[in-house]
Amino acid sequence: MTLTNTLEDPRVASALDRMFRNAEQDEATGRRIRAAQPEDSAPLSPQEQADAKAEVYMPISAQGGRLLYNLVRATRPATVVEFGTSFGISTLHLAAAVRDNGTGRVISTELSAAKAAAARRTFAETGLDDLITVLEGDARDTLATATGPADFVLLDGWKDLCLPVLRLLEPSLAPGTLVIADDVDLPDLTPYLDYVRDPRNGYQSVTFPVEDGMEISCRL
């Protein structure tokens, strides 16, 4: 018996290879963006940050993507919610797992209109667009009106918004729901990490040692 792995579909593998290669320019692109900003400029709003960094991929690692794929395969969620589509690298891993499970859907959120459009094109090219809904706009607004429970959650948007997005989703999180946050070393994620690592808040958490670290929390 041969097990299906949609990540090995040539359309999906080609798209991921292309995006991972493009993401190798993130550091140089980020320097160019920072150099163009006045030194005394006020802090940017989430929308302004998203627009300024519309060329930056900010991807999960390849190892992190495979971990997400395997977690979704193992837990078989009906609805996967992702905060932070970017160009769709993590979304493709999630949707590939949903395809191979034979059931489920992915709801993803993206603040940058340019990135949302690029991601939708990629999802169509890979044949996974029928499983993915991209909610364009501030996730604190778009997810507030999304219907149904979240059975698996990936938080990989702006790190200072991960905790507010989690608190928004909490009423729909059943016991056993996995909540994943990427880039545990980034300072802006500290309030989120403090929250999910405190057992009084109803989670059991562990840090998984992929590149930059992923925090895997289980709703109790």
Side-chain angles (χ1 to χ4, degrees), residues 7-216:
L7 292 177
E8 298 175 0
D9 183 305
R11 297 171 297 174
V12 177
S14 176
L16 288 172
D17 287 345
R18 169 178 54 81
M19 290 191 289
F20 275 126
R21 285 197 307 272
N22 290 343
E24 293 175 0
Q25 302 303 314
D26 273 4
E27 187 174 343
T29 303
R31 286 197 300 268
R32 173 169 54 81
I33 292 170
R34 290 191 295 272
Q37 295 174 344
E39 293 185 4
D40 58 348
S41 60
L44 299 180
S45 69
Q47 183 67 65
E48 290 169 334
Q49 291 185 64
D51 292 340
K53 297 180 179 180
E55 300 174 59
V56 183
Y57 277 72
M58 296 178 280
I60 59 167
S61 66
Q63 185 185 14
R66 290 191 296 272
L67 174 61
L68 290 174
Y69 173 87
N70 288 324
L71 288 172
V72 172
R73 288 301 313 269
T75 57
R76 298 181 62 83
T79 301
V80 177
V81 173
E82 176 185 39
F83 166 49
T85 313
S86 192
F87 284 91
I89 289 177
S90 53
T91 321
L92 285 182
H93 286 87
L94 298 170
V98 166
R99 173 73 82 212
D100 295 342
N101 282 344
T103 184
R105 61 174 180 158
V106 179
I107 297 175
S108 192
T109 68
E110 178 52 49
L111 195 50
S112 165
K115 283 185 174 180
R120 289 189 182 103
R121 290 194 295 271
T122 298
F123 301 153
E125 292 166 3
T126 58
L128 291 171
D129 54 319
D130 60 316
L131 302 176
I132 304 168
T133 300
V134 179
L135 304 178
E136 187 178 324
D138 191 316
R140 293 169 294 180
D141 298 324
T142 59
L143 289 177
T145 58
T147 59
D151 306 301
F152 185 102
V153 178
L154 172 62
L155 301 172
D156 198 21
W158 299 123
K159 304 310 170 186
D160 58 330
L161 297 183
C162 285
L163 181 54
V165 171
L166 174 64
R167 297 301 303 272
L168 175 68
L169 294 172
E170 272 184 337
S172 72
L173 302 184
T177 299
L178 292 186
V179 181
I180 319 296
D182 196 26
D183 300 316
V184 298
D185 293 335
L186 294 182
D188 283 349
L189 196 61
T190 298
Y192 170 87
L193 295 174
D194 289 343
Y195 183 82
V196 295
R197 289 172 178 174
D198 186 339
R200 293 173 298 180
N201 294 320
Y203 296 91
Q204 184 172 353
S205 295
V206 62
T207 300
F208 197 87
V210 296
E211 182 180 345
D212 299 322
M214 277 186 173
E215 192 76 3
I216 302 176

